Amino acid sequence: MHESHPEIQLQDIAIQDADVSTAVDEPVRAMILDMLADEPMTAADVDEELTSRGFDRTENTIRHHINTLRDAGLVDVVRYEEGRGGTTKYYGATTMLLSYALPESAGDAVDELVEAARPEVEALLELLTEEHGDAIDEIVAEMEPCAHCRTQKYETYVLLTVLRRAFARAR
Protein backbone atom coordinates (compact mmCIF):
# COMPACT_ATOMS: atom_id res chain seq x y z
CA MET A 1 0.00 0.00 0.00
CA HIS A 2 0.93 3.66 -0.14
CA GLU A 3 3.74 4.65 2.20
CA SER A 4 2.90 7.76 4.13
CA HIS A 5 5.32 10.67 4.21
CA PRO A 6 4.62 13.44 6.73
CA GLU A 7 5.48 16.21 4.25
CA ILE A 8 3.20 14.80 1.53
CA GLN A 9 -0.51 14.20 1.95
CA LEU A 10 -2.11 12.33 -0.95
CA GLN A 11 -5.36 14.11 -1.75
CA ASP A 12 -6.78 12.11 -4.62
CA ILE A 13 -6.12 9.40 -7.18
CA ALA A 14 -6.70 10.10 -10.86
CA ILE A 15 -7.04 7.17 -13.19
CA GLN A 16 -6.26 7.24 -16.85
CA ASP A 17 -7.20 3.94 -18.42
CA ALA A 18 -5.64 3.80 -21.89
CA ASP A 19 -8.60 1.95 -23.49
CA VAL A 20 -11.13 4.35 -22.00
CA SER A 21 -9.09 7.43 -22.90
CA THR A 22 -8.72 6.33 -26.51
CA ALA A 23 -12.39 5.38 -26.83
CA VAL A 24 -13.74 8.66 -25.47
CA ASP A 25 -11.08 10.78 -27.15
CA GLU A 26 -13.72 11.74 -29.70
CA PRO A 27 -16.26 14.09 -28.01
CA VAL A 28 -19.18 12.48 -29.83
CA ARG A 29 -18.26 9.12 -28.30
CA ALA A 30 -18.34 10.61 -24.81
CA MET A 31 -21.79 12.01 -25.62
CA ILE A 32 -22.95 8.61 -26.93
CA LEU A 33 -21.66 6.92 -23.78
CA ASP A 34 -23.57 9.42 -21.66
CA MET A 35 -26.75 8.83 -23.67
CA LEU A 36 -26.44 5.05 -23.38
CA ALA A 37 -25.96 5.32 -19.60
CA ASP A 38 -29.49 6.75 -19.40
CA GLU A 39 -31.28 4.12 -21.48
CA PRO A 40 -30.60 1.38 -24.02
CA MET A 41 -30.77 2.68 -27.57
CA THR A 42 -30.30 1.45 -31.11
CA ALA A 43 -27.71 3.00 -33.40
CA ALA A 44 -30.60 4.68 -35.24
CA ASP A 45 -31.92 6.09 -31.93
CA VAL A 46 -28.45 7.44 -31.11
CA ASP A 47 -28.17 8.95 -34.58
CA GLU A 48 -31.58 10.61 -34.22
CA GLU A 49 -30.74 12.00 -30.77
CA LEU A 50 -27.36 13.34 -31.92
CA THR A 51 -29.01 14.97 -34.95
CA SER A 52 -31.50 16.68 -32.63
CA ARG A 53 -28.51 18.00 -30.66
CA GLY A 54 -26.96 19.43 -33.81
CA PHE A 55 -24.44 16.67 -34.56
CA ASP A 56 -24.96 15.62 -38.16
CA ARG A 57 -23.20 12.30 -38.74
CA THR A 58 -24.11 9.32 -40.89
CA GLU A 59 -25.62 6.33 -39.14
CA ASN A 60 -22.59 4.29 -40.27
CA THR A 61 -20.32 6.75 -38.46
CA ILE A 62 -22.48 6.39 -35.35
CA ARG A 63 -22.22 2.59 -35.62
CA HIS A 64 -18.44 2.92 -35.87
CA HIS A 65 -18.37 5.08 -32.71
CA ILE A 66 -20.60 2.59 -30.86
CA ASN A 67 -18.35 -0.29 -31.97
CA THR A 68 -15.27 1.59 -30.74
CA LEU A 69 -16.96 2.07 -27.35
CA ARG A 70 -17.97 -1.62 -27.35
CA ASP A 71 -14.42 -2.73 -28.21
CA ALA A 72 -13.17 -0.74 -25.21
CA GLY A 73 -15.70 -2.51 -22.97
CA LEU A 74 -17.67 0.67 -22.29
CA VAL A 75 -20.82 -0.35 -24.19
CA ASP A 76 -22.48 -3.69 -24.74
CA VAL A 77 -25.53 -5.10 -26.51
CA VAL A 78 -28.23 -5.34 -23.85
CA ARG A 79 -30.94 -6.90 -25.99
CA TYR A 80 -31.89 -7.99 -29.50
CA GLU A 81 -35.29 -7.46 -31.08
CA GLU A 82 -36.45 -9.39 -34.12
CA GLY A 83 -38.62 -7.63 -36.65
CA ARG A 84 -39.10 -6.61 -40.26
CA GLY A 85 -36.59 -9.07 -41.65
CA GLY A 86 -33.76 -8.25 -39.29
CA THR A 87 -32.41 -8.07 -35.80
CA THR A 88 -32.13 -4.74 -34.02
CA LYS A 89 -29.44 -4.33 -31.39
CA TYR A 90 -30.00 -2.18 -28.33
CA TYR A 91 -26.84 -0.86 -26.72
CA GLY A 92 -26.30 0.20 -23.14
CA ALA A 93 -23.34 1.71 -21.32
CA THR A 94 -21.40 -0.57 -19.00
CA THR A 95 -19.35 2.35 -17.70
CA MET A 96 -20.33 5.80 -16.54
CA LEU A 97 -17.99 8.57 -17.62
CA LEU A 98 -17.75 11.39 -15.10
CA SER A 99 -15.89 14.47 -16.19
CA TYR A 100 -16.63 17.20 -13.69
CA ALA A 101 -14.82 19.52 -11.34
CA LEU A 102 -15.96 20.18 -7.80
CA PRO A 103 -16.51 23.83 -6.94
CA GLU A 104 -13.76 25.32 -4.78
CA SER A 105 -16.35 26.07 -2.12
CA ALA A 106 -16.99 22.32 -1.67
CA GLY A 107 -13.50 21.65 -0.26
CA ASP A 108 -14.37 21.68 3.44
CA ALA A 109 -17.57 19.66 3.01
CA VAL A 110 -15.78 17.07 0.86
CA ASP A 111 -12.94 16.83 3.39
CA GLU A 112 -15.49 16.19 6.13
CA LEU A 113 -17.13 13.45 4.06
CA VAL A 114 -13.74 11.91 3.26
CA GLU A 115 -12.81 11.77 6.94
CA ALA A 116 -16.22 10.26 7.77
CA ALA A 117 -15.70 7.49 5.18
CA ARG A 118 -11.99 6.97 5.69
CA PRO A 119 -12.07 4.49 8.64
CA GLU A 120 -14.47 2.18 6.81
CA VAL A 121 -12.51 2.43 3.55
CA GLU A 122 -9.29 1.64 5.42
CA ALA A 123 -10.97 -1.39 7.02
CA LEU A 124 -12.31 -2.51 3.63
CA LEU A 125 -8.87 -2.18 2.00
CA GLU A 126 -7.35 -4.20 4.83
CA LEU A 127 -10.04 -6.87 4.43
CA LEU A 128 -9.47 -7.04 0.65
CA THR A 129 -5.71 -7.36 0.97
CA GLU A 130 -5.91 -9.91 3.80
CA GLU A 131 -8.65 -12.12 2.38
CA HIS A 132 -7.98 -11.66 -1.34
CA GLY A 133 -4.27 -10.83 -1.39
CA ASP A 134 -3.42 -13.84 -3.57
CA ALA A 135 -5.93 -12.81 -6.24
CA ILE A 136 -4.66 -9.22 -6.13
CA ASP A 137 -1.06 -10.44 -6.41
CA GLU A 138 -1.96 -12.60 -9.43
CA ILE A 139 -3.58 -9.65 -11.20
CA VAL A 140 -0.64 -7.39 -10.38
CA ALA A 141 1.79 -10.02 -11.69
CA GLU A 142 -0.05 -10.03 -15.03
CA MET A 143 0.20 -6.27 -15.40
CA GLU A 144 3.17 -5.49 -17.57
CA PRO A 145 5.67 -3.30 -15.74
CA CYS A 146 7.11 -0.19 -17.32
CA ALA A 147 10.60 -0.98 -18.66
CA HIS A 148 12.22 1.98 -16.90
CA CYS A 149 10.07 2.13 -13.74
CA ARG A 150 10.69 -0.07 -10.74
CA THR A 151 7.79 0.98 -8.56
CA GLN A 152 4.39 1.10 -10.13
CA LYS A 153 1.14 1.50 -8.24
CA TYR A 154 -0.39 -1.67 -9.67
CA GLU A 155 -1.90 -2.83 -6.39
CA THR A 156 -3.45 0.59 -5.85
CA TYR A 157 -4.88 0.49 -9.38
CA VAL A 158 -6.37 -2.98 -8.83
CA LEU A 159 -7.89 -2.03 -5.48
CA LEU A 160 -9.28 1.24 -6.81
CA THR A 161 -10.78 -0.60 -9.79
CA VAL A 162 -12.48 -3.00 -7.38
CA LEU A 163 -13.81 -0.11 -5.28
CA ARG A 164 -15.01 1.86 -8.33
CA ARG A 165 -16.82 -1.13 -9.78
CA ALA A 166 -18.37 -2.07 -6.42
CA PHE A 167 -19.52 1.55 -6.07
CA ALA A 168 -21.05 1.49 -9.57
CA ARG A 169 -22.91 -1.76 -8.84
CA ALA A 170 -24.11 -0.46 -5.47
CA ARG A 171 -25.48 2.72 -7.05
Side-chain angles (χ1 to χ4, degrees):
M1 289 304 297
H2 173 70
E3 285 186 38
S4 183
H5 298 283
E7 68 276 9
I8 300 172
Q9 184 174 2
L10 188 61
Q11 294 295 319
D12 207 344
I13 297 173
I15 294 181
Q16 184 170 358
D17 182 297
D19 290 336
V20 172
S21 294
T22 301
V24 296
D25 206 15
E26 167 70 41
V28 172
R29 287 188 202 135
M31 192 178 298
I32 291 170
L33 187 60
D34 190 50
M35 291 164 45
L36 294 176
D38 291 336
E39 65 178 309
M41 300 173 84
T42 67
D45 294 337
V46 171
D47 181 45
E48 186 178 314
E49 178 64 26
L50 287 172
T51 300
S52 76
R53 295 181 185 191
F55 290 90
D56 192 19
R57 307 278 200 282
T58 67
E59 191 172 326
N60 281 339
T61 300
I62 299 307
R63 286 183 195 285
H64 167 74
H65 288 316
I66 290 171
N67 286 335
T68 300
L69 292 167
R70 192 185 67 214
D71 291 346
L74 305 175
V75 165
D76 209 350
V77 177
V78 294
R79 75 174 183 270
Y80 297 92
E81 287 187 7
E82 300 291 333
R84 291 197 271 176
T87 303
T88 302
K89 295 177 186 176
Y90 282 80
Y91 299 93
T94 60
T95 301
M96 183 183 298
L97 178 66
L98 302 175
S99 183
Y100 308 117
L102 292 173
E104 286 185 33
S105 62
D108 290 343
V110 169
D111 285 345
E112 187 176 322
L113 292 167
V114 167
E115 289 308 313
R118 183 176 168 178
E120 292 187 45
V121 172
E122 286 174 346
L124 178 57
L125 289 172
E126 188 174 322
L127 175 78
L128 286 171
T129 55
E130 284 180 6
E131 293 191 12
H132 302 280
D134 290 344
I136 294 167
D137 290 344
E138 285 178 29
I139 296 167
V140 168
E142 288 183 41
M143 297 175 80
E144 204 166 297
C146 172
H148 55 274
C149 297
R150 288 184 29 223
T151 57
Q152 292 291 322
K153 309 292 187 278
Y154 295 124
E155 182 181 350
T156 299
Y157 180 81
V158 171
L159 288 168
L160 194 53
T161 299
V162 169
L163 293 176
R164 280 189 355 260
R165 291 182 182 177
F167 178 86
R169 291 176 190 173
R171 288 295 286 181

